[in-house]
């Protein structure tokens, strides 16, 4: 081997280091042995051994979403790659920057149905932002550098690089990252139309019933975007609501914040959306969980949509003004313009709008009655929030009722502190995701708010948590049901609870003990706070089995196929049968 | 696409011809086709061939159908694909030429052979292969012209058809050279 040459695997690791990778989540196998060999010698990258490749991607997602960096994954060929697919799809739906390196059989065996061969680029094509099969070792370094650029620029997303074993072993001349990589697509124009900004600013200032609706794009755009959005809200003194993905980008304590909107959003947020005259959507994508029935979505409003992805604009909702670009850049221009015009006193009074909103608030749509000794799940989250709000707390969740209760009752005052699977709705996301978060922030309080059914989906990661001594708190709202499935069966299928009971649950306390970590259990409201205190005070990982009211439903709710103004606030409200159209919806 | 009813006025669907410049590498075509099947868009015709060996670029000419909102969506989605560099909507840009090539094999005996040759001549089709019981004709032109020719040939005997799909280019002096230089 000549001096300047290293092998492909070493070049890959070197390129990762050059791109700022400090942590990689992975699982070894035959087709990635050279890469693992290169990692063995490397002191700059910490490898976290997960227990399933899906968890590797979720962990990388948790890492990426809490830090704003690119998450990195390493899996082997065949089953390693196919196991990662759910995670990659999740990252694509929620716009999380991920690099997934997968091993592949050597190039001369591709297409022969070799052992642990899969058409990984074929399988992952629709669930990645882009992918590569490296067939030419000379292009290896360039491809890795470019992958990072693609994953993190524009609308972020997962990029998979499939690395045949012979490429990992071949001699490669290392190529440094060039400062400016070719624009990989012209969708993200850097020019912002100042005219448009000024039109939108005027529209916002002249609105009588404006509302701002922010989403995950604000979080992805970095902490400054969140600050600018909050500033805009304060200057305009207008109501603001956030999507599930956007929680935290305006502090929950801001007086203008109406809570989350959408299917399980607050009454005031949804009614304000329905009745607004001007809507500003910043970095959200009019997801069906948010809009409800489209032909009745904010019917009398002018809509402005800011998004980095041009294809998000006019995809499901036609808007009057679409601005393509990065949230923080556009918000900064918009704030400037609004400030400028604001001084000229063109702003309309919003007293009537606010008094209307306050009437909706008086409905207290998140109200619940904690009676008797059984723990209401809502109370469990509320108490958890009260006990942890003074810490630097990161919350991850699984998917289902507990996720919605967490979104409703836990207050988020900063972006990047809330990791949940929004678009894909992946049960089993929270536990591995919390691994990624805790690795990024070893000293912070990381809590996985979980349901017993979701927890079972990736509970093998307890082993990872123990191996790396991650003091993650697993807060299981245990109602022995796949609660959201049960709720829909109650509402739409005549309470025929087909297969939604979580039978044969483990004893979670013993399960914890079997891994050598602490297990707590509480079933009485009088002991709830003490249990939460104990959980927080334990230095290591904890599984807290919170036995909650079994048949509690998640409200308020926009029934499927209904509009924002057709919310139901409790089970008693559900007098109208779900429409035939609604029954077909998910 | 969401299962929720789309918020569109009952706008008519029209046919659009798109012209794409893409990297000539494995997987690019699969990405484009996967986009159409995955999101439920129509493809009426699609052709692809390398157009620039040095820069390693191919052109995809594509005919699709949809409302203007859907077409805008298709164009934006196409531009999200990393190896797709240029997406031009020829129908929207102005006058353009659409052309296609067809190879038509006709198995025919007796008097119909003369009729077949007469029709071929009318359509300015070239005769590429002749046996005592068959012809192979080559015809280029607008898809509607090819349709008419194929229809006539079918009534004369057993046929086998091979068509290339539409290739398209705008009229006038406008070229993509500047756009290509930016790739």
């Amino acid at each position: 081997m000549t001096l300047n040459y290293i092998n492909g695997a070493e070049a890959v690791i070197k390129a990762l280091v050059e791109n700022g990778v400090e942590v990689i989540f992975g699982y070894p196998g035959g087709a990635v042995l050279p890469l693992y060999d290169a990692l063995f010698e490397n002191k700059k990258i910490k490898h976290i051994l997960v227990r399933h490749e899906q968890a590797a991607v979720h962990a990388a997602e948790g890492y990426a979403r809490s830090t704003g960096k690119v998450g990195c994954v390493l899996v082997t060929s065949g089953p390693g790659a196919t196991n990662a697919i759910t995670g990659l799809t999740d990252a694509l739906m929620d716009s999380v920057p991920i690099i997934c390196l997968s091993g592949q059989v050597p190039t001369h065996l591709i297409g022969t149905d070799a052992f642990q061969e899969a058409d990984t680029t074929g399988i992952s094509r629709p669930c990645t932002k882009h992918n590569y099969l490296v067939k030419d070792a000379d292009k290896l370094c360039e491809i890795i550098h470019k992958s990072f650029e693609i994953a993190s620029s524009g609308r972020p997303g997962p990029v998979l690089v499939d690395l045949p074993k012979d490429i990992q072993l071949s001699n490669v001349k290392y190529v440094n990252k060039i400062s400016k990589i070719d624009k990989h697509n012209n969708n993200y124009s850097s020019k912002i139309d100042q005219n448009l900004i000024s039109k939108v600013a005027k529209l916002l200032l002249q609105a009588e019933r404006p509302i701002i609706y922010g989403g995950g794009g604000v979080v992805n755009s970095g902490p400054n975007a969140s600050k600018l959005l909050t500033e805009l809200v304060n200057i305009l003194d207008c109501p603001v609501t956030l999507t599930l993905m956007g929680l935290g980008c305006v502090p929950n304590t801001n007086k203008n914040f109406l809570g989350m909107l959408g299917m399980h959003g607050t009454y005031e947020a949804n009614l304000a959306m329905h009745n607004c005259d001007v809507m500003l959507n910043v970095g959200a994508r009019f997801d069906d969980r948010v809009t409800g029935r489209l032909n009745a979505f904010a019917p009398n409003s002018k809509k402005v949509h800011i998004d980095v992805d041009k294809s998000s604009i006019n995809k499901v909702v036609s808007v009057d003004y679409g601005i393509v670009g990065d949230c923080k850049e556009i918000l900064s221009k918009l704030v400037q313009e609004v400030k400028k015009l604001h001084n000229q006193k063109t702003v309309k009074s919003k007293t009537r709008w606010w008094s209307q909103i306050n009437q909706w608030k008086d409905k207290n749509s998140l109200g619940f009655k904690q009676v008797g000794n059984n723990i209401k799940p809502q109370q469990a989250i509320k108490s958890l929030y009260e006990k942890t709000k003074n810490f630097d707390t990161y919350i991850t969740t699984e998917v289902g009722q507990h996720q919605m209760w967490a979104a409703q009752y836990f207050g988020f005052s900063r972006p990047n502190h809330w990791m949940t699977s929004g678009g894909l709705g992946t049960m089993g996301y929270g536990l591995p995701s919390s691994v990624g978060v805790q690795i990024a922030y070893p000293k912070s309080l990381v809590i996985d708010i979980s349901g017993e059914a979701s927890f079972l989906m990736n509970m093998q990661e307890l082993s990872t948590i123990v191996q790396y001594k991650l003091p993650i708190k697993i807060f299981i709202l245990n109602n022995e049901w796949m609660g959201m499935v049960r709720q829909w069966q109650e509402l739409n299928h005549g309470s025929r609870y087909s297969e939604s009971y979580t039978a044969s649950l483990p004893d979670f306390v013993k399960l914890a003990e079997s891994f050598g970590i602490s297990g707590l259990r509480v079933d009485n409201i009088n002991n709830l706070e003490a249990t939460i205190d104990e959980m927080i005070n334990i230095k290591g990982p904890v599984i807290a089995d919170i036995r909650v009211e079994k048949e509690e439903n998640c409200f308020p709710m926009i029934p499927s196929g209904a509009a924002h103004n057709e919310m139901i606030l409790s089970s008693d409200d559900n007098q109208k049968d779900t429409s035939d159209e609604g029954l077909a919806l998910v | 696409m969401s299962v929720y009813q789309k918020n569109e006025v009952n706008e008519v669907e029209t046919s659009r011809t798109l012209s794409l410049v893409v990297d000539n590498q494995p997987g690019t075509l699969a990405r484009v086709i996967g986009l159409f099947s995955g999101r439920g868009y129509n493809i009426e015709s699609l052709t692809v061939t390398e157009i620039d060996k040095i820069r390693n670029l191919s052109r995809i000419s594509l005919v699709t159908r949809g409302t203007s909102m859907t077409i805008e969506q298709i164009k934006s989605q196409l531009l999200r694909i990393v190896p797709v560099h240029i997406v031009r909507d020829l129908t929207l840009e102005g006058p353009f030429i659409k052309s296609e090539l067809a190879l038509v094999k006709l198995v025919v005996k007796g008097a119909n052979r003369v009729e077949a040759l007469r029709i071929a001549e009318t359509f300015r089709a070239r005769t590429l292969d002749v046996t005592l019981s068959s012809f192979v004709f080559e015809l280029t032109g607008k898809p509607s012209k090819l349709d008419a020719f194929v229809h006539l040939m079918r009534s004369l005997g057993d046929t086998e058809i091979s068509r290339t799909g539409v290739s398209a280019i705008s009229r006038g002096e406008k070229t993509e050279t500047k756009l290509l230089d930016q790739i």
Side-chain angles (χ1 to χ4, degrees):
Chain A
M1 201 184 285
T2 36
L3 261 177
N4 287 331
Y5 284 78
I6 51 180
N7 78 22
E10 290 161 346
V12 169
I13 302 302
K14 199 170 170 189
L16 295 185
V17 172
E18 197 185 344
N19 281 284
V21 174
E22 291 161 1
V23 184
I24 188 163
F25 303 89
Y27 202 103
V32 282
L33 287 177
L35 279 162
Y36 271 86
D37 200 48
L39 270 176
F40 192 70
E41 291 295 321
N42 189 287
K43 298 283 172 284
K44 287 182 180 147
I45 296 180
K46 186 179 166 74
H47 179 273
I48 303 298
L49 177 66
V50 293
R51 301 301 190 264
H52 186 283
E53 288 88 351
Q54 181 195 349
V57 187
H58 292 326
E61 285 185 274
Y63 179 86
R65 291 184 54 187
S66 59
T67 59
K69 296 178 194 164
V70 177
C72 209
V73 178
L74 174 54
V75 298
T76 191
S77 66
T82 55
N83 276 345
I85 294 297
T86 302
L88 293 172
T89 312
D90 192 273
L92 183 72
M93 290 285 267
D94 285 346
S95 310
V96 188
I98 297 289
I99 299 288
C100 178
L101 307 173
S102 56
Q104 182 56 279
V105 300
T107 42
H108 65 275
L109 287 181
I110 289 177
T112 65
D113 299 324
F115 178 63
Q116 293 196 328
E117 180 187 357
D119 175 10
T120 303
T121 43
I123 294 168
S124 64
R125 196 169 287 131
C127 61
T128 49
K129 186 175 173 186
H130 193 57
N131 64 20
Y132 292 99
L133 168 62
V134 183
K135 280 182 156 173
D136 179 355
D138 292 339
K139 293 198 175 133
L140 182 60
C141 298
E142 187 198 329
I143 285 175
I144 302 284
H145 297 319
K146 210 166 173 186
S147 298
F148 277 87
E149 178 72 15
I150 292 170
S152 58
S153 64
R155 180 177 178 176
V159 176
L160 178 137
V161 186
D162 205 20
L163 299 161
K165 199 171 179 182
D166 57 330
I167 299 285
Q168 297 172 39
L169 291 169
S170 60
N171 286 346
V172 172
K173 189 159 191 237
Y174 187 76
V175 181
N176 285 310
K177 188 169 189 164
I178 40 169
S179 56
K180 195 186 168 296
I181 285 182
D182 327 339
K183 210 165 47 166
H184 58 84
N185 103 33
N186 44 9
N187 226 359
Y188 313 113
S189 75
S190 48
K191 285 172 285 175
I192 298 170
D193 182 354
Q194 191 57 42
N195 245 334
L196 196 56
I197 297 282
S198 126
K199 268 188 201 154
V200 169
K202 272 187 203 127
L203 191 68
L204 285 170
L205 285 164
Q206 285 165 3
E208 288 177 9
R209 302 184 309 280
I211 188 160
I212 295 180
Y213 135 54
V218 182
V219 180
N220 274 344
S221 184
N224 270 338
S226 296
K227 277 188 202 129
L228 286 162
L229 183 65
T230 311
E231 194 182 348
L232 184 66
V233 167
N234 291 340
I235 303 169
L236 291 168
D237 189 29
C238 70
V240 59
T241 177
L242 298 170
T243 68
L244 181 72
M245 302 305 292
L247 292 176
C249 62
V250 172
N252 63 316
T253 46
N254 186 301
K255 68 177 174 37
N256 294 7
F257 179 53
L258 304 185
M260 182 175 75
L261 83 163
M263 188 169 267
H264 293 289
T266 63
Y267 188 71
E268 54 270 28
N270 286 331
L271 267 282
M273 286 289 279
H274 191 78
N275 291 287
C276 70
D277 64 348
V278 172
M279 173 194 301
L280 174 67
N281 169 346
V282 189
R285 58 183 178 92
F286 294 111
D287 179 70
D288 57 47
R289 293 296 99 159
V290 156
T291 61
R293 195 170 77 241
L294 276 172
N295 55 13
F297 174 69
N300 302 310
S301 63
K302 288 244 184 243
K303 301 178 188 76
V304 183
H305 188 181
I306 300 173
D307 205 298
V308 75
D309 178 5
K310 185 166 172 279
S311 74
S312 279
I313 291 168
N314 291 328
K315 180 168 70 179
V316 283
V317 171
S318 312
V319 295
D320 300 272
Y321 301 101
I323 310 177
V324 181
D326 186 59
C327 288
K328 65 175 172 303
E329 285 163 28
I330 291 166
L331 280 172
S332 128
K333 289 243 158 66
L334 193 58
V335 167
Q336 267 175 34
E337 189 70 16
V338 166
K339 272 184 185 161
K340 198 174 90 192
L341 295 172
H342 198 270
N343 295 335
Q344 299 162 9
K345 288 185 182 165
T346 41
V347 62
K348 282 256 166 97
S349 157
K350 289 180 202 79
T351 325
R352 278 183 59 192
W353 182 222
W354 274 114
S355 73
Q356 172 70 70
I357 290 169
N358 287 331
Q359 276 178 30
W360 291 324
K361 272 191 185 170
D362 289 343
K363 279 254 187 185
N364 190 21
S365 62
L366 293 182
F368 62 94
K369 288 196 195 83
Q370 172 62 55
V371 283
N373 284 336
N374 288 347
I375 301 169
K376 287 273 183 185
Q378 298 94 326
Q379 185 60 51
I381 302 287
K382 242 184 157 166
S383 302
L384 181 69
Y385 173 56
E386 290 304 324
K387 292 281 181 189
T388 59
K389 66 180 176 186
N390 295 326
F391 297 91
D392 184 30
T393 310
Y394 291 83
I395 299 290
T396 71
T397 76
E398 315 286 340
V399 169
Q401 284 184 325
H402 69 274
Q403 177 191 29
M404 291 299 115
W405 283 316
Q408 292 171 330
Y409 296 95
F410 203 96
F412 297 94
S413 55
R414 280 163 298 179
N416 301 98
H417 282 63
W418 162 245
M419 272 56 60
T420 193
S421 171
L424 194 64
T426 313
M427 288 172 74
Y429 169 87
L431 188 63
S433 175
S434 68
V435 169
V437 178
Q438 190 81 75
I439 291 288
Y441 300 99
K443 299 234 165 77
S444 297
L445 179 60
V446 179
I447 304 172
D448 169 30
I449 296 177
S450 183
E452 83 292 335
S454 283
F455 174 77
L456 291 181
M457 277 212 183
N458 265 328
M459 68 176 194
Q460 77 283 347
E461 294 313 309
L462 283 174
S463 180
T464 311
I465 288 171
V466 173
Q467 181 179 347
Y468 296 97
K469 302 187 176 64
L470 305 173
I472 292 163
K473 316 300 177 201
I474 303 156
F475 192 77
I476 302 176
L477 296 184
N478 182 354
N479 60 3
E480 298 177 12
W481 286 95
M482 296 163 208
M484 196 58 94
V485 175
R486 198 203 56 78
Q487 176 169 345
W488 277 56
Q489 287 173 333
E490 181 186 324
L491 296 177
N492 292 343
H493 296 276
S495 297
R496 287 187 300 282
Y497 298 134
S498 180
E499 304 293 326
S500 51
Y501 184 69
T502 325
S504 308
L505 283 171
D507 177 328
F508 287 113
V509 174
K510 282 190 181 154
L511 178 70
E513 284 163 0
S514 76
F515 277 97
I517 62 174
S518 309
L520 304 172
R521 176 173 298 123
V522 60
D523 55 8
N524 188 313
I525 187 69
N526 298 313
N527 302 331
L528 175 66
E529 297 206 343
T531 308
I532 294 173
D533 281 333
E534 196 183 345
M535 176 185 88
I536 297 168
N537 290 332
I538 291 172
K539 288 264 186 298
V542 181
I543 298 180
D545 179 13
I546 315 294
R547 298 293 183 92
V548 295
E549 186 78 58
K550 289 193 180 17
E551 302 202 339
E552 187 68 18
N553 282 338
C554 186
F555 287 112
M557 178 179 188
I558 302 176
S560 73
H564 279 171
N565 60 341
E566 298 165 340
M567 288 199 90
I568 52 176
L569 298 183
S570 68
S571 292
D572 311 332
D573 249 10
N574 189 36
Q575 280 149 5
K576 231 172 43 179
D577 279 344
T578 306
S579 63
D580 285 352
E581 209 183 26
L583 276 179
L585 304 177
V586 288
Chain B
M1 201 71 36
S2 157
V3 277
Y4 283 77
Q5 192 189 343
K6 281 192 75 180
N7 199 12
E8 276 182 45
V9 209
N10 290 327
E11 201 201 328
V12 281
E13 294 192 342
T14 54
S15 173
R16 296 281 191 98
T17 304
L18 306 181
S19 180
L20 282 58
V21 176
V22 303
D23 284 336
N24 180 21
Q25 58 181 220
T28 305
L29 184 61
R31 271 171 227 284
V32 171
I33 293 170
L35 171 70
F36 278 75
S37 63
R39 293 188 183 261
Y41 307 138
N42 303 305
I43 297 182
E44 295 190 343
S45 163
L46 183 140
T47 63
V48 52
T49 306
E50 189 177 61
I51 52 163
D52 189 330
K53 274 209 172 7
I54 298 157
R55 283 187 278 207
N56 204 26
L57 297 172
S58 289
R59 175 169 322 274
I60 297 178
S61 297
L62 198 151
V63 183
T64 181
R65 177 170 284 278
T67 61
S68 53
M69 195 164 158
T70 310
I71 301 288
E72 280 312 306
Q73 194 43 215
I74 291 174
K75 290 191 278 185
S76 310
Q77 293 288 357
L78 283 169
L79 275 174
R80 285 175 77 189
I81 300 174
V82 174
V84 171
H85 298 295
I86 300 175
V87 176
R88 286 176 62 192
D89 185 339
L90 295 178
T91 313
L92 205 67
E93 275 184 22
F96 67 101
I97 293 161
K98 246 184 357 187
S99 191
E100 189 181 353
L101 183 144
L103 296 175
V104 179
K105 179 182 284 187
L106 175 69
V107 180
V108 66
K109 282 183 179 163
N112 277 348
R113 288 179 65 83
V114 183
E115 188 59 34
L117 284 171
R118 197 178 301 154
I119 293 170
E121 199 185 338
T122 317
F123 277 82
R124 294 170 204 255
R126 291 207 302 148
T127 310
L128 298 187
D129 180 64
V130 187
T131 69
L132 290 175
S133 56
S134 70
F135 296 108
V136 174
F137 298 116
E138 177 201 71
L139 181 67
T140 57
K142 281 195 290 193
S144 56
K145 175 182 162 190
L146 271 55
D147 288 344
F149 183 73
V150 166
H151 179 73
L152 288 169
M153 287 295 130
R154 278 200 169 125
S155 62
L156 291 177
D158 188 18
T159 53
E160 185 173 306
I161 317 288
S162 175
R163 288 172 68 158
T164 58
V166 166
S167 191
I169 201 160
S170 64
R171 287 182 185 270
E173 60 175 14
K174 189 182 164 192
T175 65
E176 281 165 352
T177 311
K178 271 192 184 158
L179 289 173
L180 287 174
D181 288 342
Q182 285 170 16
I183 295 173

